[in-house]
Amino acid sequence: MSKKVTLVGAGLVGSLLSIYLAKRGYNVNVFERRPDMRKTKGYAGKSINLALSDRGLRGLEGVGIADEIRKIAIPMYGRFLHYQDGTTGYQPYGKEGQAINSVSRAGINMMLMDLAETLPNVKFNFEERCTGVDSVKGVSSFVNESTQAQTTINSDLIFGSDGAFSAARLSAMLGHDRFEYNQFYIEAGYKELVIPAGPNGEFLIEKNALHIWPRKSFMMIALPNIDGTFTCTLFMPFTGENSFEKLKTREEVKEFFDRVFPDAVPLMPTLLDDFMTNPTASLVTVKCFPWTFDDKLALIGDAAHAIVPFYGQGMNCGFEDCVVLNELIDKHKENWPAILNEYQILRKPDGDAVADLAIGNFTEMRDKTADPKFHLQKKIEAWFSEKHPDKWVPQYSMVTYRPDIRYSYALKRGKEQDEIMQKVMAAVPGIEEKWDTPEVEKLILQHL
Amino acid sequence: MSKKVTLVGAGLVGSLLSIYLAKRGYNVNVFERRPDMRKTKGYAGKSINLALSDRGLRGLEGVGIADEIRKIAIPMYGRFLHYQDGTTGYQPYGKEGQAINSVSRAGINMMLMDLAETLPNVKFNFEERCTGVDSVKGVSSFVNESTQAQTTINSDLIFGSDGAFSAARLSAMLGHDRFEYNQFYIEAGYKELVIPAGPNGEFLIEKNALHIWPRKSFMMIALPNIDGTFTCTLFMPFTGENSFEKLKTREEVKEFFDRVFPDAVPLMPTLLDDFMTNPTASLVTVKCFPWTFDDKLALIGDAAHAIVPFYGQGMNCGFEDCVVLNELIDKHKENWPAILNEYQILRKPDGDAVADLAIGNFTEMRDKTADPKFHLQKKIEAWFSEKHPDKWVPQYSMVTYRPDIRYSYALKRGKEQDEIMQKVMAAVPGIEEKWDTPEVEKLILQHL
């Protein structure tokens, strides 16, 4: 008799997890609070962009759907930098050919649901808001947002894949003693804007790059979409000198953009309307423990570890959760108490690490990418890593291209490498001129 | 027209706050989830003990009821230490005559409710569970635990004085963006035990002291009650070498107590029954922000800043919240948006500080009180402080006897003083013999 599984949330992680579990023969019932985005205009058009990288691709490959998803992805090989004085710069993301992939959240989510529904043992239920999870009895309760009908469902396993503000997690939190919980916000919020395609659908700025307008305390970024448009996101503090609270009127917005993003303004004809209409959203980090309860309920993805978007790892980390879980199902031969226990013990340090990495990368993107010293450091690291791939992998590469390296190791090792680089760069006067010499190579080797 | 105020929670802080507000002419409605403890046997008999000190007394004095409460309090002038080898020690809490006061939680709570009910404009409603607070509209909702009747009440102000697991706070958290929230547990839990009175109602160990059995990773404490009994509390990790998980059977408990608390066992005839029957409870810290919402809802006491009990400051800090609020009502002449805004900005650093102080004092009580070096340090500090009261107040005294000094200052200054003491004690060989000499005095003065 196959086991019944309930998933709370049909977002990216819930949809992928449904495929993993269904392929193993579980009967999977997915309950999603929102309407089916495949039938709702608003969602399909909304173009939040994500950067799919190797950890996420590995998650898709595990169920054989990576090639399908690649069809809607645009590879980005580096950061294209737009400085305030009108000059530009470029910084490759890794070695030749290494890229991260711009995908629309709605696009990948809809494709995952379509792929899941080709399996006979996955069923999606929409507009079903979770009102509680009883992890002792294995009972989940939902109310239909349209009909108000109440549903109570019994299952052998329940997964809370319902995001940063998880109802499943809240229910577990209220029902369990000694639950550790921390949610905090960075001072910046974000607002989405757009650069439309050219008259013939062409990309108006470099297609295969992630564009950044670094401005120290704030930044704008732009990611390409397959229709030739770019989704722009302005990240900026809510209050203070350069902040959302200072941009209340169309005049204030126009003056600000003309001054700080002069090369972008001509590309953004709907800027003022978009700015006044689109919401300003906040950026939360959630850390909690445990992630599993009573051998029946597990949190996964953002529900277990919501992070800020600056390392482009939210979806990738959630997909990796599925990979880890899948490996543990093999290892423990479907002994779920053992699987769930090892899942949370193994994965918690990585969830914490990717949260810290993500916050750290905000400073890097908005501030350091405008600093020549930082570019030099990246250049030296890339050069040294090329010569000694066994001794040095840049942190960005560990996080982005090396699913075999844990986030927690990448965080720790990245800090060590950064300290070495600070020492080396301080120790060699005029390093700008001789960064790729045996002297520098020897010095780095001495510090290792 | 007098303003309507709703208080969620009739615990210590809610009951005191109702008196403060009623005396100013507000119409106060208090809703409490539990039954009226004055009519329920279980509560009156339950003898959790608290240490009422000067900040709490100041809160009671503000509404003229300190003398009433003193009648049910027993002053404790120092720590009476019980070492494992059978020897004992004593450490005064401050200068001659300075004490903290042992009171029963239920006793003081019931007296506060009785005093509040002598005012015509306070009404207590029991068995009313808060199901939500709408801070924009000023509406609070309750359901009666017996009758299931639902009540919705409109008021000008709402206070969440409903403790560490505040329903008012949860409602505000779920309804507001950018709410910072952190709850975490220390590894130790606690269990209450008892030392009964002697045959003629006499105290079987020193009455006017807080007894501690310090054992490094765990400890037992005992506080006197007016009926001659002592409430004992065992604080110990949930798991590990010396832990609650290792004490599952009566035999294990007996062996453990005989070994680690040999002088206490003969005084605890019901030890084994009490240990097996009484629950093991956890120790949470809650930090959050904001504490006020939409100029209508404010969190106060544990609902805003739940702390562990080791500095004996939970109730004292909550009563001080009432004092601060009362001063701000005067300062801002009942302009509530201004009052609530300054309340949270002024008080948040002190809520954070007392939480850190409380966690730090666990180490001090369970571990350092058994260390001769620590006793020497306290002795030097007391001596130096006596000579230079303008230059040095021991941290314990700042926290406990000096309501004019903020918790946040006491935390910061205490750390600085501790660092000075570490340096001085390391710099003077044989300081044990010459701790009260001009040499030591001069050295401390040099570090200031």
Side-chain angles (χ1 to χ4, degrees), chain B residues 324-373:
Chain B
V324 169
L325 201 59
N326 191 50
E327 287 170 354
L328 292 172
I329 298 174
D330 282 336
K331 177 177 172 185
H332 293 292
K333 300 187 175 60
E334 315 216 8
N335 173 355
W336 278 95
I339 294 163
L340 296 182
N341 188 50
E342 188 167 345
Y343 161 68
Q344 66 177 357
I345 287 170
L346 184 68
R347 199 66 183 144
K348 168 69 174 165
D350 294 321
D352 286 345
V354 73
D356 297 345
L357 284 163
I359 287 172
N361 219 43
F362 184 31
T363 320
E364 173 161 330
M365 289 176 80
R366 73 177 188 203
D367 190 351
K368 293 194 194 157
T369 55
D371 178 356
K373 277 224 137 190

Side-chain angles (χ1 to χ4, degrees), chain A residues 177-179 181 183 282, chain B residues 177-179 181 183 186 282:
Chain A
D177 190 23
R178 304 195 83 216
F179 182 66
Y181 184 74
Q183 68 176 42
S282 58
Chain B
D177 190 23
R178 305 194 82 217
F179 183 67
Y181 184 74
Q183 70 175 42
I186 59 169
S282 58

Side-chain angles (χ1 to χ4, degrees), chain A residues 6-271:
Chain A
T6 300
L7 303 194
V8 183
L12 298 166
V13 176
S15 298
L16 179 61
L17 182 61
S18 76
I19 302 175
Y20 268 96
L21 294 172
K23 289 208 166 189
R24 285 184 167 272
Y26 291 87
N27 278 314
V28 185
N29 237 307
V30 192
F31 291 82
E32 166 60 44
R33 183 171 53 82
R34 282 170 285 202
D36 188 344
M37 60 169 78
R38 296 166 297 183
K39 297 172 184 165
T40 322
K41 278 211 161 152
Y43 286 105
K46 205 177 167 188
S47 56
I48 292 174
N49 280 64
L50 304 168
L52 176 64
S53 55
D54 287 19
R55 289 172 202 268
L57 285 165
R58 183 158 162 251
L60 298 171
E61 277 156 11
V63 285
I65 59 174
D67 290 339
E68 278 297 304
I69 302 292
R70 276 186 208 273
K71 289 177 192 165
I72 56 165
I74 298 177
M76 302 181 288
Y77 296 98
R79 292 167 171 163
F80 194 106
L81 300 157
H82 302 253
Y83 303 118
Q84 198 164 342
D85 64 5
T87 62
T88 60
Y90 183 77
Q91 191 182 72
Y93 269 135
K95 287 180 270 191
E96 184 77 29
Q98 282 184 328
I100 60 177
N101 303 282
S102 177
V103 289
S104 125
R105 170 186 284 270
I108 187 168
N109 206 149
M110 291 189 288
M111 194 174 265
L112 286 171
M113 289 194 285
D114 284 343
L115 291 166
E117 282 186 342
T118 64
L119 303 169
N121 48 342
V122 178
K123 184 174 183 307
F124 285 89
N125 308 271
F126 294 97
E127 295 188 73
E128 293 286 341
R129 180 167 60 82
C130 177
T131 53
V133 171
D134 182 333
S135 51
V136 174
K137 295 182 183 158
V139 174
S140 325
S141 305
F142 302 90
V143 63
N144 189 282
E145 297 270 49
S146 290
T147 65
Q148 305 304 319
Q150 298 188 7
T151 304
T152 305
I153 185 166
N154 259 280
S155 48
D156 303 294
L157 286 168
I158 306 163
F159 286 91
S161 52
D162 50 346
F165 298 99
S166 167
R169 184 187 65 219
L170 178 64
S171 186
M173 174 171 168
L174 297 177
H176 290 82
D177 190 23
R178 304 195 83 216
F179 182 66
E180 307 268 332
Y181 184 74
N182 190 6
Q183 68 176 42
F184 58 93
Y185 292 80
I186 60 168
E187 62 195 26
Y190 71 93
K191 191 186 278 286
E192 292 212 344
L193 302 164
V194 66
I195 292 177
N200 305 308
E202 71 271 30
F203 291 87
L204 292 181
I205 50 177
E206 169 58 39
K207 174 187 176 185
N208 293 111
L210 188 152
H211 294 262
I212 310 181
W213 288 258
R215 298 293 182 269
K216 302 264 177 197
S217 67
F218 62 98
M219 69 173 173
M220 185 166 72
I221 65 170
L223 277 80
N225 299 308
I226 43 176
D227 62 0
T229 64
F230 285 84
T231 303
C232 302
T233 314
L234 173 64
F235 294 97
M236 186 163 67
F238 281 96
T239 57
E241 195 191 339
N242 290 300
S243 72
F244 283 111
E245 72 167 358
K246 292 283 167 67
L247 305 181
K248 296 281 190 208
T249 67
R250 296 172 77 92
E251 292 67 36
E252 285 163 354
V253 175
K254 184 168 183 343
E255 187 281 324
F256 179 77
F257 271 74
D258 282 343
R259 180 162 49 85
V260 300
F261 305 127
D263 66 330
V265 172
L267 305 171
M268 304 171 83
T270 57
L271 168 64

